[in-house]
């Protein structure tokens, strides 16, 4: 391999494995905190009617009336709410985990191979906890 080719490869490798810098992490953290606030707001809609139960964020059961079609609609809406709430709670959990990694200083490191996660991937998906190759491998094994 010529020296030029070697240097080129070295630069390319360095670029690919570039560990995310603190400035980018700060921006991501701000973004995550904003998302967290939004999710908490979205989640509060589901438990608003049950204020005494607001702590456990239980999905409130809607009450439209006692006719069969009203009952059916209550069940449909309840199911939709439960699914939406689960998705939001999962998102919230991912955000909290990412924030915890930022605080611990382990943010941007793949939890499987301990290599830095590509910065572009983190910017596109700030809650990512694994690098693309590990993620791809896991999906192939599923
Ligand atoms: Zn990995």
């Amino acid at each position: 391999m010529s020296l030029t080719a070697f240097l080129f490869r070295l630069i390319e490798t360095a670029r690919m494995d570039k560990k995310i810098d603190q400035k980018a992490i700060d921006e991501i953290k701000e973004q995550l905190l904003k998302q967290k606030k939004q999710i908490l707001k979205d989640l509060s809609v589901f438990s608003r009617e049950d204020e005494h139960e607001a702590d456990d964020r239980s999905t409130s059961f809607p009450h439209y009336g006692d006719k069969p079609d009203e009952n059916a609609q209550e069940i449909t809406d309840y199911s939709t709410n439960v699914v939406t709430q689960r998705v939001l709670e999962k998102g919230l959990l991912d955000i909290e985990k990412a924030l915890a990694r930022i605080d611990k200083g382990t943010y941007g490191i793949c939890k499987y191979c301990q290599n830095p996660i590509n910065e572009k991937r983190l910017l596109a998906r700030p809650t990512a906890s694994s690098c693309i190759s590990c993620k791809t491998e896991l999906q192939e094994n599923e």
Side-chain angles (χ1 to χ4, degrees):
M1 193 192 295
S2 76
L3 184 63
T4 319
F6 173 71
L7 284 176
F8 183 75
R9 205 172 143 184
L10 199 71
I11 291 166
E12 199 174 47
T13 311
R15 200 186 289 149
M16 270 180 66
D17 291 339
K18 199 179 117 187
K19 192 172 180 283
I20 192 154
D21 61 32
Q22 191 54 47
K23 196 174 163 280
I25 291 182
D26 287 346
E27 276 167 27
I28 285 174
K29 187 175 179 178
E30 204 176 300
Q31 211 55 45
L32 287 169
L33 287 170
K34 254 188 229 164
Q35 280 179 24
K36 185 180 166 177
K37 216 173 152 187
Q38 183 59 49
I39 290 183
L40 286 173
K41 208 176 128 198
D42 291 346
L43 275 171
S44 71
V45 172
F46 296 110
S47 46
R48 195 163 41 195
E49 285 157 45
D50 268 319
E51 269 178 4
H52 57 286
E53 279 177 65
D55 282 345
D56 62 8
R57 289 200 208 110
S58 62
T59 307
S60 49
F61 197 89
H63 192 79
Y64 304 132
D66 296 317
K67 290 180 199 145
D69 61 331
E70 286 168 337
N71 287 335
Q73 193 59 43
E74 284 168 10
I75 291 165
T76 308
D77 287 1
Y78 178 74
S79 311
T80 311
N81 287 350
V82 168
V83 171
T84 310
Q85 194 179 4
R86 293 238 170 94
V87 170
L88 287 171
E89 279 171 352
K90 169 81 174 61
L92 185 64
L93 196 68
D94 285 345
I95 289 171
E96 277 170 352
K97 279 185 194 164
L99 287 169
R101 287 196 298 276
I102 290 175
D103 288 341
K104 276 200 307 196
T106 57
Y107 185 77
I109 296 173
C110 174
K111 64 178 170 184
Y112 300 110
C113 67
Q114 316 298 320
N115 284 323
I117 303 170
N118 186 287
E119 186 177 334
K120 269 192 200 149
R121 170 164 163 75
L122 286 172
L123 292 173
R125 196 167 169 275
T127 54
S129 59
S130 59
C131 69
I132 288 175
S133 36
C134 287
K135 181 85 187 170
T136 311
E137 212 168 290
L138 282 177
Q139 278 169 345
E140 276 167 6
N141 288 342
E142 266 169 18

